[in-house]
Amino acid sequence: MIKSPRGTRDLLPPDTALWNFVEATVRDVFRAYNFHEIRTPVFESTELFARGVGEDTDIVSKEMFTWEDRGRAESDRGQSLTLRPENTAGIVRAYIEHKLWERGLNKFFSIGPMFRRERPQKGRYRQFYQIDAEVIGPAAAGSQSPARDAEILELVATLLDRVGITNWTLELNSVGCPADRAKFNEALRRALAPVVDKMCADCQRRAVTNPLRVFDCKVPADQPIIETLPTITQFLDEACRTHYDEVREILEAVHIPYIENQRLVRGLDYYTRTAFEFTHGALGAQNAILGGGRYDGLSEALGGPAAPGIGFAIGEDRLVLSLMETVSAESVMRKPDVYIAPLGAGMNREAARLARELRRHDLVVELGDESFRLKKSFEAADKIGARYILIVGGDEVAANAFALKHLVSGEQVTVPRAELAQRILQTK
Ligand code: HAM
């Protein structure tokens, strides 16, 4: 038997009903904040992620699905391509490629699969889904303002509320600007020098190439050392500190609770200033339901104009897992309103006509078959949880009125064709 590859999974009904509920709800919320959907390819040039996310990150150095294209055309051959491990770099690439600022477009969302070669466990998959939102634009349009950061955080809180996720925790930090980080990296190098040989191989490498990434280490034995390292907060310059203070002031004004976590640096290199994660207790070890932050230099790093930005990505798999704590997928899945049971030869075509009429009224209709005996039709209607069974036999067709039975109460009535849809809708 061929199984789905390690770290991937099939999303099946009824769970897909919860996924659809989440996506419909977030689309509504994005509309209220004037975000527009963008769809970018699921694979991009490898270089986009190397330059955007950063060579020293775990994502780029260990987790990408990368291949060399073997296309027939000379221009395809040898090109290195990668399944997107995240979508901020792709959206910023599209922003630059299509000069979206010229059309006044600056708020985007996207929903789709991402790919990382991680060790699979609950809440961690190799193909997973993100709901991504990005605000990006020229500084003159206000994209650098701390008001955007606070608006994004308030948007996340509204989204989680509307979907029905409570008990989240917002962890907030500022990772400063590149100048702050250069000073911080120096301090980290100094602090790491006497202890780094006791740390894991990755940390030894990071201590040289990009000391900030030591904070991404998950090796338990390294944690006591990481606890003693300086934090970025001490190295923030005046402008970054003021920015951070203003974000927090607006959050307090709109009553969004948060905690500060000075060790939160996020696993991607593009972040500047505000960095955040929302965690949820129900998730266990993989407790980050979403993460995000500001990336003021990303557009320029990818060859575009200066365009400060901020965004976040929700792990949709984790969002759905948290939601399952309180909502059953069964309860959001729409059951058939009516099962149509054609009785005897020639009745399939009558049933088809009726199904067509009823479906026009937005009713969920399941069709039986004229070869079924009545008992078999009842069993089938029960099995799928239909509310009603509608019996379509020769007598009913002649009278143009049909036997409609409510499957829970057992009540049966004869209803003229013209009133059927109304009758079924009434008891919804
Ligand atoms: P990230 O923190 O790498 O950020 O991922 C965001 C969220 O995606 C995580 O909080 C988690 O819920 C989910 N996630 C990540 N990896 C997996 C996995 N292997 N399995 C299941 N869920 C996963 C980013 O990707 C940034 N692009 C977010 C961003 C947008 N920053 C600014 N704009």
Side-chain angles (χ1 to χ4, degrees):
M1 186 175 55
I2 300 174
K3 291 191 172 165
S4 77
R6 183 166 139 82
T8 69
R9 49 198 195 129
D10 301 309
L11 303 173
L12 306 172
D15 292 358
T16 41
L18 263 183
W19 286 73
N20 281 324
F21 160 74
V22 166
E23 290 171 17
T25 309
V26 302
R27 281 172 189 279
D28 272 357
V29 175
F30 281 132
R31 197 171 306 124
Y33 287 76
N34 198 31
F35 278 68
H36 296 285
E37 182 167 4
I38 182 165
R39 299 191 190 195
T40 59
V42 295
F43 62 89
E44 299 265 7
S45 309
T46 305
E47 193 192 348
L48 174 68
F49 304 112
R51 268 162 63 184
V53 177
E55 304 261 18
D56 299 315
T57 59
D58 279 354
I59 296 177
V60 173
S61 65
K62 301 185 201 162
E63 297 170 356
M64 297 205 302
F65 290 94
T66 296
W67 70 97
E68 197 170 290
D69 199 20
R70 312 181 289 200
R72 281 212 204 128
E74 183 66 40
S75 55
D76 291 344
R77 240 170 283 151
Q79 201 195 352
S80 180
L81 298 170
T82 290
L83 287 179
R84 62 182 184 191
E86 63 101 51
N87 208 20
T88 309
I91 292 175
V92 175
R93 188 224 10 93
Y95 174 82
I96 299 166
E97 187 170 336
H98 305 288
K99 297 188 170 59
L100 294 179
W101 61 90
E102 288 182 355
R103 298 188 223 169
L105 291 170
N106 67 338
K107 288 153 114 184
F108 309 98
F109 76 89
S110 103
I111 302 175
M114 307 293 152
F115 307 85
R116 296 184 192 174
R117 192 185 282 101
E118 295 197 79
R119 199 166 44 78
Q121 55 177 270
K122 183 187 170 198
R124 189 159 78 189
Y125 311 101
R126 292 184 166 187
Q127 173 171 338
F128 59 99
Y129 293 79
Q130 282 188 345
I131 299 170
D132 196 300
E134 312 291 349
V135 183
I136 176 166
S143 60
Q144 210 157 12
S145 165
R148 293 290 75 71
D149 308 39
E151 185 182 18
I152 277 281
L153 290 164
E154 192 274 335
L155 159 61
V156 172
T158 301
L159 266 179
L160 296 179
D161 261 9
R162 284 279 295 278
V163 171
I165 303 277
T166 50
N167 293 328
W168 44 261
T169 304
L170 161 56
E171 297 188 21
L172 193 62
N173 195 20
S174 172
V175 295
C177 50
D180 303 340
R181 209 132 67 225
K183 281 187 252 155
F184 180 47
N185 272 331
E186 252 337 287
L188 282 178
R189 276 200 188 93
R190 274 198 302 276
L192 284 165
V195 287
V196 74
D197 53 342
K198 297 192 197 75
M199 299 181 82
C200 70
D202 279 340
C203 283
Q204 299 194 11
R205 178 175 49 81
R206 291 163 176 149
V208 179
T209 57
N210 193 347
L212 181 83
R213 299 269 62 99
V214 166
F215 286 98
D216 301 340
C217 178
K218 302 279 182 311
V219 176
D222 288 1
Q223 298 311 310
I225 300 176
I226 293 170
E227 289 288 309
T228 65
L229 295 175
T231 60
I232 181 89
T233 318
Q234 304 147 243
F235 298 88
L236 298 184
D237 66 17
E238 191 56 32
C240 291
R241 203 176 288 279
T242 308
H243 184 99
Y244 188 42
D245 289 344
E246 285 182 27
V247 175
R248 285 178 300 158
E249 276 163 28
I250 305 177
L251 285 182
E252 278 153 33
V254 294
H255 305 295
I256 304 293
Y258 63 87
I259 58 169
E260 290 184 76
N261 176 355
Q262 297 189 359
R263 285 177 203 281
L264 180 76
V265 296
R266 309 270 302 124
L268 304 95
D269 275 348
Y270 50 61
Y271 289 115
T272 54
R273 295 191 169 175
T274 310
F276 58 87
E277 275 177 9
F278 281 65
T279 56
H280 193 273
L283 288 170
Q286 305 302 316
N287 67 352
I289 210 166
L290 67 97
R294 182 165 271 292
Y295 45 84
D296 290 345
L298 181 56
S299 171
E300 285 155 289
L302 298 177
I310 179 162
F312 65 86
I314 299 176
E316 194 177 356
D317 305 73
R318 296 187 191 173
L319 183 72
V320 171
L321 272 175
S322 319
L323 202 56
M324 282 175 169
E325 292 286 301
T326 48
V327 185
S328 81
E330 288 281 351
S331 71
V332 288
M333 188 163 87
R334 199 168 152 194
K335 294 275 173 58
D337 294 300
V338 57
Y339 180 97
I340 301 184
L343 259 194
M347 289 302 122
N348 271 348
R349 74 184 85 109
E350 297 299 333
R353 283 177 53 204
L354 276 160
R356 191 165 155 81
E357 284 166 31
L358 295 177
R359 284 173 180 147
R360 276 200 207 113
H361 288 85
D362 192 34
L363 288 167
V364 180
V365 178
E366 181 79 22
L367 268 174
D369 192 84
E370 63 185 26
S371 67
F372 295 175
R373 286 172 179 280
L374 194 56
K375 183 162 176 279
K376 180 167 171 182
S377 286
F378 267 96
E379 282 164 5
D382 255 348
K383 190 161 180 191
I384 59 167
R387 271 190 309 123
Y388 283 102
I389 187 163
L390 180 70
I391 295 159
V392 182
D395 293 348
E396 283 86 356
V397 172
N400 212 24
F402 299 84
L404 182 69
K405 182 166 185 172
H406 194 272
L407 285 165
V408 177
S409 69
E411 187 199 357
Q412 182 168 331
V413 281
T414 301
V415 184
R417 182 180 206 115
E419 292 166 28
L420 269 174
Q422 247 356 79
R423 179 86 195 196
I424 296 169
L425 280 167
Q426 257 167 26
T427 57
K428 244 182 156 173

